[in-house]
Amino acid sequence: MSNVHELKFLKEKIEELKKQGVYRKLPVLEGANEAEVILNGKKVINLSSNNYLGFANHPRLKKAAIEAVEKYGVGAGAVRTIVGNMDIHEEMEKVLAEFKREEAVMVFQSGFNCNAGTIQAITEKGDLIVSDELNHASIIDGARLSKADKTIYKHNDMDDLERVLKENRDKYRNILIITDGVFSMDGDIANLPDIVELAEKYEAMTYVDDAHGSGVLGENGRGTVDHFGLHGRIDFSIGTLSKAIGVIGGYVAGSKTMQDWLSHRGRPLLFSTSLPPAAVGAIIEAVKMLMESSEYTDRLWANAKFFKERLGKLGFNTGNSQTPITPVIIGDEAKTMEFSRKLFENGVFVSGIVYPTVPKGTGRVRCMVTAGHTTEQLERAVEVFEKVGKEMKILK
Ligand code: PMP
C-alpha cells in the first residue's frame, strides 16, 4: 500500500526520462512574455513564443481586460450552457465571425479543448476521420475521443489523400478530412486548394486547424483559408486565441448549424466554465485591432523575412518554411539540445525540438520571430547564432 502512495511507479518512469536525457524542469519567466525576457534568472532574447504579434502584453488589450474585469468580475461563474454565457462572450463570437468572414463562431476555453471537443461532437460510429500524419496532438486526442474510424495520409501528399478517399468513400457515411493550416514544426502551409477539390470530388467534409495561420496569413491575418480565397468551402475552420491574438481560448468558425450543434454537444462547453471576462475583453480588442490595420502582421512578416535571410546567408539550414516559423535544422538530437543550451548561455532562448516531436535525425531549434522584436534584437540574435554555430562547427 505505502509503495502506491509513494508513487514509486512514477518515480521509476522519471528516472527513465533522466537516463534518456529528456528530463527537464519547467522554465520560469519573470514578467510578461515579450521579445526580451528574464528566463530562469537570465536576460535573453525570446525566440520561442507564439506571441506572433506582441499582443500578449499590449497596452490596448490590457486596458480592455481591466475594463471587462471592472464590469463583469474575474470569473464567468458557470458553464456557458447554464449561466456562464455573458453578453461579451456573444460579442466576441460576433466579432470573430466577422473577422473570419464566416456565418458563425463557437469559442472554447483553449485551442486544445476546441479540437478535443469539436471532433468528437461532429463524428460518430460509421464515419471516417482522415488526418494528415503531422497534425497537432489536440487533433489526435480529439479523434481518439470520437467513435469514428481513423486513418492518416502522408504529410500534405495529395496522391495519398486521394488513395484514402477512393478506398473508403463507399464504406462510410461521413468522411472528415483534418489538416493543420500551418504545420507548427516546419512552418509549411497545407495544400488547401487541392484538399478542398478532393473533398468536393469525394463528398467529404473539411476541417482546418489554423492555430499558426490565424493572425499571420491572409488579409489582416484572417488565416490560411483567406490566404487561398477558400471562404465558404471549408466546413470547420479552427483558430486559437492564445497565439497571435495573445490571450487564451480556441474557436471554430463555420455555419450557424455547426454553432448550434456544438452548443448542445461540445463537451468542454457543457462541462467546463467559460472564459473569464478579462480574456474575453482582451480578445475582442485584439480582433478589432487586426481588422483596423495590417500594421502588426506586416511587421511580423518583415521581421521573419529579415531573420530568415540573415540565417540563410550564414549557411544555416532553415528548411522549407513558408511562414514566420523558422526551424534551424541541426540533425543529431544531442547536438541540437547542446546548440539550444549554448544559445541560451549566450543570451538567446530558442527551444530544441527532437524525436519524437519531429522525425529522428531532424532535430532543430525552432525560432518564432514576432512583430514585437526590434531589428537590433534580431541582429543580436543572428550574431549569437553565428558565434555558437561556428564554435560547434555547424557553420564553416
Ligand atoms: N493546434 C495547433 C496546431 C497548435 O499548435 C496548438 C498549440 N500548440 C493548439 C492547437 C492548441 O492551442 P492552445 O494553446 O490554444 O490550446
Side-chain angles (χ1 to χ4, degrees), residues 100 179-183 188-193 208-219 221-231 234 237-238 251 322-323:
K100 296 297 284 189
T179 181
D180 281 4
V182 172
F183 290 87
D188 53 331
I189 304 175
N191 185 352
L192 279 192
V208 178
D209 177 356
D210 211 21
H212 289 275
S214 293
V216 176
L217 282 166
E219 187 193 351
R222 281 179 167 81
T224 309
V225 174
D226 186 84
H227 169 76
F228 286 121
L230 291 171
H231 291 291
I234 300 286
S237 196
I238 279 65
Y251 60 90
Q322 300 162 278
T323 61

Side-chain angles (χ1 to χ4, degrees), residues 154-170:
K154 286 188 198 139
H155 176 52
N156 226 353
D157 182 331
M158 295 303 109
D159 291 337
D160 201 38
L161 174 59
E162 178 149 29
R163 175 192 62 77
V164 170
L165 294 172
K166 207 183 263 175
E167 279 174 12
N168 290 291
R169 179 55 281 183
D170 294 337

Side-chain angles (χ1 to χ4, degrees), residues 115-185:
N115 280 328
T118 303
I119 297 169
Q120 66 164 324
I122 59 173
T123 55
E124 60 190 2
K125 200 168 170 1
D127 295 341
L128 178 68
I129 294 169
V130 181
S131 187
D132 186 292
E133 66 179 334
L134 294 190
N135 278 345
H136 189 256
S138 53
I139 293 175
I140 297 169
D141 286 9
R144 279 186 185 143
L145 289 168
S146 163
K147 294 196 172 69
D149 285 346
K150 299 111 201 174
T151 188
I152 56 170
Y153 62 96
K154 286 188 198 139
H155 176 52
N156 226 353
D157 182 331
M158 295 303 109
D159 291 337
D160 201 38
L161 174 59
E162 178 149 29
R163 175 192 62 77
V164 170
L165 294 172
K166 207 183 263 175
E167 279 174 12
N168 290 291
R169 179 55 281 183
D170 294 337
K171 297 184 195 154
Y172 291 94
R173 190 188 62 148
N174 287 332
I175 295 184
L176 179 68
I177 304 169
I178 307 185
T179 181
D180 281 4
V182 172
F183 290 87
S184 57
M185 293 303 144

Side-chain angles (χ1 to χ4, degrees), residues 80 85-99 105-109 241 245 247-251 274-277 279-285 287 291:
R80 285 188 78 182
N85 186 39
M86 294 161 161
D87 53 7
I88 41 169
H89 290 96
E90 297 273 319
E91 186 190 342
M92 165 176 67
E93 286 173 343
K94 258 201 203 111
V95 171
L96 275 167
E98 187 192 336
F99 176 60
V105 158
M106 180 55 95
V107 169
F108 288 74
Q109 302 89 338
L241 301 164
I245 298 295
V247 193
I248 187 86
Y251 60 90
S274 49
L275 283 182
V280 179
I283 289 163
I284 294 169
E285 188 67 15
V287 179
M291 286 197 285

